Amino acid sequence: MLNRILPFFLFIWICLVIIGAFLYAPLAEGLGELTRVLYFHVPTAWVTVLAFLTGAVFSVLYLKSKSIKYDYYAESASQLGFVFCILATITGSIWAKMSWGSFWNWDPRETSVFILLLIYAAYFALRSAVEQEDKKAALSAVYSILAFVTVPFFVFIVPRVYTSLHPDPLVNPEGEIHMDAKMLTVFLSSLAGFTVLFIWMIRIKMNLVLIHLKLKEMEN
């Protein structure tokens, strides 16, 4: 029952977020229409980190249990993380074009995301290069864990160590977020909506993995 209701609920939720972003929440001072991008760029970046973390956790579970389903779960989470990372890059590029006049400026944040995409592209390349299932799962699990170690570094540390064009107009010098109540409502709703969307998508992927494994058992 939940599987039938959740997609409809998510669709309505995301539609309300879009409506709120364009018609309900006011524009931030100094950002103007760029404020609209905020409600989608930050949530996709957040889900990217969450998905890669999920992939690393499943990789640890595989190394502990040697259950192949955890390897497939880790791959599924990493695939979703890669997709949301691309979405974060696209929304960030739209911001860059409107703010700096160019879609790409090799700003520290843009460069960090680009490197992160290369790191996880290598993860999928590794999986496709190794045919033996157990060996592929073990190597992929170790790589996934090491890859995630770089995520906080490239997402949170590098952009703050080096001078960046990327502004934080809604964060005060003390690191506190200051938003209008309407803006905060839409922002948190978007974060929650994208998080639930990821949970729903990873559940579907996991169910597909279980079906795939059952079919393999029947063939054997």
Side-chain angles (χ1 to χ4, degrees), residues 20 34 46-47 51 53 60 65 84 100 105 125 137 140 148 153 158 168 172-173 184 186 190 196 199 207 212:
L34 279 174
W46 153 247
V47 173
L53 172 61
V60 171
S65 66
F84 277 97
W100 310 323
N105 304 274
S140 299
F148 180 73
F153 179 75
V158 169
D168 288 312
N172 63 25
L184 188 61
V186 176
S190 184
V196 175
I199 294 171
N207 289 336
H212 172 71

Side-chain angles (χ1 to χ4, degrees), residues 1-7 200 203 207:
M1 187 67 177
L2 180 62
N3 289 335
R4 294 179 180 179
I5 296 175
L6 190 57
W200 175 65
R203 283 188 60 189
N207 289 336

Side-chain angles (χ1 to χ4, degrees), residues 35-177:
T35 310
R36 317 298 186 193
V37 182
L38 170 75
Y39 302 114
F40 306 101
H41 177 62
V42 176
T44 52
W46 153 247
V47 173
T48 296
V49 176
L50 181 61
F52 288 152
L53 172 61
T54 303
V57 170
F58 282 132
S59 295
V60 171
L61 291 175
Y62 170 78
L63 292 176
K64 290 180 65 177
S65 66
K66 298 300 181 183
S67 174
I68 196 64
K69 70 178 182 181
Y70 289 124
D71 172 59
Y72 286 121
Y73 290 168
E75 180 187 23
S76 298
S78 297
Q79 288 172 344
L80 292 177
F82 196 78
V83 170
F84 277 97
C85 192
I86 291 173
L87 291 175
T89 304
I90 292 172
T91 52
S93 294
I94 294 172
W95 180 298
K97 176 63 175 178
M98 295 177 66
S99 183
W100 310 323
S102 173
F103 285 110
W104 198 263
N105 304 274
W106 292 107
D107 176 79
R109 287 182 189 257
E110 293 176 327
T111 305
S112 296
V113 170
F114 178 72
I115 295 173
L116 199 59
L117 284 170
L118 291 180
I119 289 173
Y120 277 89
Y123 168 81
F124 299 117
L126 172 65
R127 293 189 64 87
S128 63
V130 181
E131 295 183 1
Q132 188 177 344
E133 194 168 71
D134 292 342
K135 185 177 180 181
K136 174 171 65 176
L139 289 173
S140 299
V142 173
Y143 186 95
S144 176
I145 295 168
L146 293 176
F148 180 73
V149 172
T150 69
V151 173
F153 179 75
F154 284 119
V155 174
F156 302 112
I157 298 176
V158 169
R160 286 165 175 78
V161 171
Y162 295 97
T163 303
S164 173
L165 292 171
H166 193 291
D168 288 312
L170 302 177
V171 180
N172 63 25
E174 288 73 35
E176 300 173 340
I177 297 176

